[in-house]
Amino acid sequence: MMKYIVLVFVVFFSSLTFAQEIKVLDKKTGKKVNNVTIYNKDKTISLTTNDYGLADVSSFKDDEIILISHLSYSIRSIKKSNLKKQNFTIYLTKQSEELDEIVISVFKREEKTKRIAEQIAVLTSKDIQKISAQTSADLLATIPGIKVQKSQFGGGSPVIRGMESNRVLLVVDGVRMNNAIYRKGHLQSSITIAPNLLDKTEVVFGPSSVIYGSDALGGVIHYYTKTPKLSEEDKVSSQFFSRFSTVNQEITTNVSAEVSFSNWASFTSISYSDFGDLKAGKNRNHGFSDWGKVFYYSENVNGNYNENPTKNENPNFLRNTGYNQTDVLQKFFVPLSKNTDLKINLQYSTSSDIQRFDRLTELKSLTDASSLKFAEWYYGPQKRLLISSQLDINPSKNWLERGTLIVAYQNLQESRIQRKFGSLDRSYREENVDVFSVNGDFSVPLTEDETRTLSYGFEFAYNEVSSNSYGKTLNIVNGEINGFSNDFKVESRYPDGGSEYLSSAFYVDYRQDINSKSTLNSGIRFTNTNLHAIWIDQTFIQLPQTEISSNNSAVTATLGYVYKPSRNWQLNSVLSSGFRSPNIDDVGRVREKSGEVTVPNIDVKPEFAYNAEIGIQKYFNHRKFRLGANVFYTLLDNYIIRDHFTMNGSDQVLFDGEYGNAVANQNRGNAYITGYTISYLGKLSNTFNTSGFITYTKGRTYDTEEPMSSIPPLFGQFEINYTKDKIEVGAALRFNSKKDIADFNFTEGIDNHDLTPVVDANATTDKDIYFGTPSWITFGVNGRYSVTQNFSVQARLDNLLDEHYIEFASGVSSPGRNLSLSFVANF
């Protein structure tokens, strides 16, 4: 009996001693990776990991180099003796070849840029940390080809290829942010997610309606938030981030925690930013000594009351630009099985009141700086709630290899409050939008080597909009607000009886490597939209119909071709079409600006875009440096423009006690937008890297020969960075050319030509009164030092020469000289 016990002990001890199992995990998710090939250089030993990502490597010698390979990951090589130091655990990263990033947004599955024909841009988590932007809008402004407009400091409207707002699609974690009241003009929704919550940002330029549907005319901006990963060993990690900026006394704090187990993981992040009033640059090299200065401002904020405008002792100090914002992200990652993952995503963003700076500085008379029009004009707290569940499946069937199903709910709340000087009547307009959506994206390789792939999917999104409006007359006692003395009616911004918007779509996409040098991409999508709206109160505006319904359908397609004549050259070409179906804002908005009142027009139809583009990329230095150029031409058909309008035979409309010129969204004929972006990116040496771009855009209508709105002037950026050991330093140059007043669109007013420098206040035409946007150039430096592996400090000095400038179409001056200091601590 003792003999058998000894034998069992020897066998058991031998298995512990000699059985050496290697564990292979995905670095991003922490999941086990099966079918990984493990071999030596001579290939005399070759193993494969099982369904649990395990393989016995005891047959390899201690001094032997082991190679670890998988089709979807970069090859790893490691000496076996070093495996012991890593507890026989190997983490694999997705394939990347020099500058060929892995991109998700174009096909809604991971794909290398060398197989993508569209112009794309990617900001990684490392880029986001280095840029250290105050808001996500500021982050987008650093991307080649994107210009950002601001009507107030608490905002940011990205412009892509001369299109913005509801012609650009915002997406977060696979869920479209665009909703039924995304407006034409300038939109501020891009800031409702803090940069500290982002893992990366991808931008697809040009019409992307095959994959994304309506609104993606100029392009798609896709935010990807951070996702927790699994760990074989129970692990809790956390991070603390803090930043201070001098230009507006900004204090941003972000706290995050990640909890990782083998069968589930959680990530929690809370970010709070407090922005004070902004200081503009002092050096006005553009030659306009008073442009952008605030000589008088309204003190009617935060419940205060002042009958008259207040003189600003420091005109470069932009009163009424400060605000605060809180962002929360909670994400769970649960692998339900070997082939199925579940992600639960909760996001919430809210802000304080945000003062509408450009309206609070609007004058009744150009010659009187104290003649402010508005005593109060502010947005109530911007609130965004997202709850989504994402199911990733990998059944590896003949009809479905992998897929993603997302079910989401969003709630968005916004409000506008305004009151004019000389009046005690305050108007309130409040909007609430509920969005329910479900979308699925699936793919299957038609060949084993995945040279031919079929993708298909669907999307349903239902928007329910409620719009409320009312007026209150302030009761003033001893110079202070003491409640209200009266109620009065106010015209609602959108249909007061409620409105609904439903979008349904299906698409198919086919991708094929014709040979080793060329790839063909093609796709087609069918989209149908239904709109229903009801107006009840007809006190101010009498419509021919108080209840409307509209149904629109469109088929869009894309054809892309990638040709690689050699390893260091890539040529891209794309033909694509897109469309945008009118939403609630297009047909039903009521608002006033600069004496013009936008009124409903229930006859607006979809606008279409037909795009052609060519791209070329040349690689140098063993593909560590890339020079690229993209040229595009987009034809807009049946384009929507805001123009003069008559309602019930009159071109005048009463709004908030004053008559204004009636304007409305209307369809016109054809227009074009064309332009190019030239960019470079890469390493100059092991320590120096550089990047830069120049973007030019032009757009005009064919029918009226008028400039299109939202066309920025020539702009660009050049940057160089040095990295060695624990130190990173860099310098950046940004510039904008002049935009002549003749190139502004005067009809819509979106370009805000009336906010450019005044050259002759007594002239009779806008072209003679205003100058246009002056050119500008800024210079900045930055640095980062890793004190330890878990603690780093970073500093940025932007607008070093304290230049005064205003971005095209913006209503607020850009920041002056700004020193920001931040640190990151990992625990």
Side-chain angles (χ1 to χ4, degrees), residues 553-581:
S553 298
V555 175
T556 54
T558 186
L559 182 66
Y561 181 69
V562 179
Y563 177 58
K564 302 178 287 292
S566 69
R567 174 177 165 78
N568 294 323
W569 283 93
Q570 180 170 322
L571 305 175
N572 302 333
S573 60
V574 180
L575 295 173
S576 59
S577 63
F579 92 111
R580 192 179 72 79
S581 185

Side-chain angles (χ1 to χ4, degrees), residues 467 514 662 679 695:
S467 185
I514 299 173
S679 63
T695 295

Side-chain angles (χ1 to χ4, degrees), residues 497-516:
S499 49
E500 302 170 336
Y501 186 79
L502 173 65
S503 174
S504 310
F506 302 89
Y507 78 89
V508 177
D509 184 85
Y510 175 73
R511 185 164 67 260
Q512 176 180 347
D513 290 335
I514 299 173
N515 52 48
S516 61

Side-chain angles (χ1 to χ4, degrees), residues 22-202:
I22 186 175
K23 186 184 302 176
V24 183
L25 305 174
D26 184 300
K27 186 176 181 180
K28 184 177 180 180
T29 65
K31 290 195 70 176
K32 304 175 183 69
V33 184
N34 60 355
N35 295 323
V36 176
T37 304
I38 303 171
Y39 57 96
N40 55 9
K41 286 187 175 181
D42 298 331
K43 296 186 178 180
T44 56
I45 304 175
S46 181
L47 310 171
T48 302
T49 56
N50 59 20
D51 289 345
Y52 303 99
L54 302 173
D56 187 349
V57 295
S58 56
S59 55
F60 292 95
K61 299 176 181 178
D62 282 351
D63 60 350
E64 201 165 14
I65 299 295
I66 298 176
L67 298 171
I68 303 160
S69 174
H70 189 281
L71 184 65
S72 301
Y73 296 86
S74 299
I75 295 177
R76 285 285 308 272
S77 62
I78 188 171
K79 186 179 287 188
K80 183 185 175 184
S81 57
N82 291 332
L83 272 176
K84 298 177 182 178
K85 300 176 184 178
Q86 298 180 194
N87 295 322
F88 288 93
T89 302
I90 290 290
Y91 289 94
L92 296 184
T93 57
K94 292 293 185 179
Q95 283 193 46
S96 61
E97 184 179 0
E98 291 85 19
L99 295 175
D100 287 334
E101 298 106 335
I102 298 293
V103 177
I104 301 174
S105 298
V106 178
F107 301 117
K108 293 203 175 177
R109 57 165 288 172
E110 293 183 343
E111 190 58 76
K112 282 187 177 182
T113 55
K114 67 181 182 181
R115 297 185 73 195
I116 297 174
E118 288 81 357
Q119 179 189 351
I120 58 168
V122 179
L123 284 180
T124 65
S125 57
K126 186 177 180 180
D127 297 326
I128 295 170
Q129 184 183 41
K130 175 181 172 294
I131 295 167
S132 192
Q134 290 192 352
T135 70
S136 291
D138 298 329
L139 182 70
L140 295 176
T142 66
I143 296 176
I146 294 185
K147 176 59 65 177
V148 173
Q149 180 276 350
K150 290 188 177 183
S151 297
Q152 65 280 336
F153 193 65
S157 183
V159 181
I160 302 180
R161 293 188 173 182
M163 302 191 203
E164 66 171 316
S165 55
N166 55 20
R167 286 175 172 166
V168 172
L169 181 62
L170 296 179
V171 182
V172 57
D173 293 331
V175 180
R176 63 165 49 225
M177 297 174 68
N178 291 41
N179 57 63
I181 61 171
Y182 262 40
R183 58 188 176 273
K184 183 177 179 61
H186 308 304
L187 208 58
Q188 316 302 330
S189 302
S190 64
I191 71 166
T192 61
I193 181 165
N196 289 311
L197 308 186
L198 297 176
D199 180 55
K200 70 172 179 174
T201 299
E202 294 182 0

Side-chain angles (χ1 to χ4, degrees), residues 427-491:
S427 63
Y428 298 79
R429 292 175 173 87
E430 300 170 344
E431 275 67 57
N432 183 87
V433 184
D434 292 306
V435 185
F436 304 87
S437 63
V438 55
N439 53 283
D441 303 284
F442 312 97
S443 65
V444 56
L446 303 180
T447 56
E448 289 188 6
D449 57 2
E450 297 193 10
T451 56
R452 294 170 56 216
T453 305
L454 180 69
S455 301
Y456 52 96
F458 64 88
E459 179 186 61
F460 299 97
Y462 172 76
N463 290 246
E464 187 173 54
V465 181
S466 61
S467 185
N468 184 35
S469 62
Y470 54 94
K472 297 282 188 179
T473 301
L474 303 185
N475 184 38
I476 306 302
V477 178
N478 297 325
E480 295 183 356
I481 300 175
N482 184 21
F484 304 99
S485 62
N486 188 34
D487 295 336
F488 59 93
K489 283 187 176 183
V490 170
E491 175 67 38

Side-chain angles (χ1 to χ4, degrees), residues 358-426:
D358 61 338
R359 304 305 300 273
L360 288 174
T361 55
E362 186 176 339
L363 301 177
K364 298 177 183 177
S365 170
L366 290 178
T367 58
D368 184 2
S370 66
S371 62
L372 299 184
K373 183 176 181 179
F374 288 99
E376 298 178 80
W377 209 126
Y378 61 93
Y379 296 103
Q382 266 191 134
K383 297 181 180 181
R384 181 182 68 88
L385 171 67
L386 167 68
I387 304 173
S388 75
S389 62
Q390 176 176 322
L391 194 67
D392 296 326
I393 56 176
N394 296 271
S396 297
K397 302 292 185 181
N398 291 334
W399 55 276
L400 175 61
E401 183 206 29
R402 68 185 70 173
T404 299
L405 183 67
I406 300 176
V407 179
Y409 165 74
Q410 295 181 81
N411 176 259
L412 303 106
Q413 298 177 34
E414 59 182 50
S415 58
R416 295 163 177 82
I417 299 92
Q418 57 196 76
R419 180 176 65 84
K420 295 175 183 177
F421 274 112
S423 172
L424 297 179
D425 290 343
R426 178 193 289 168

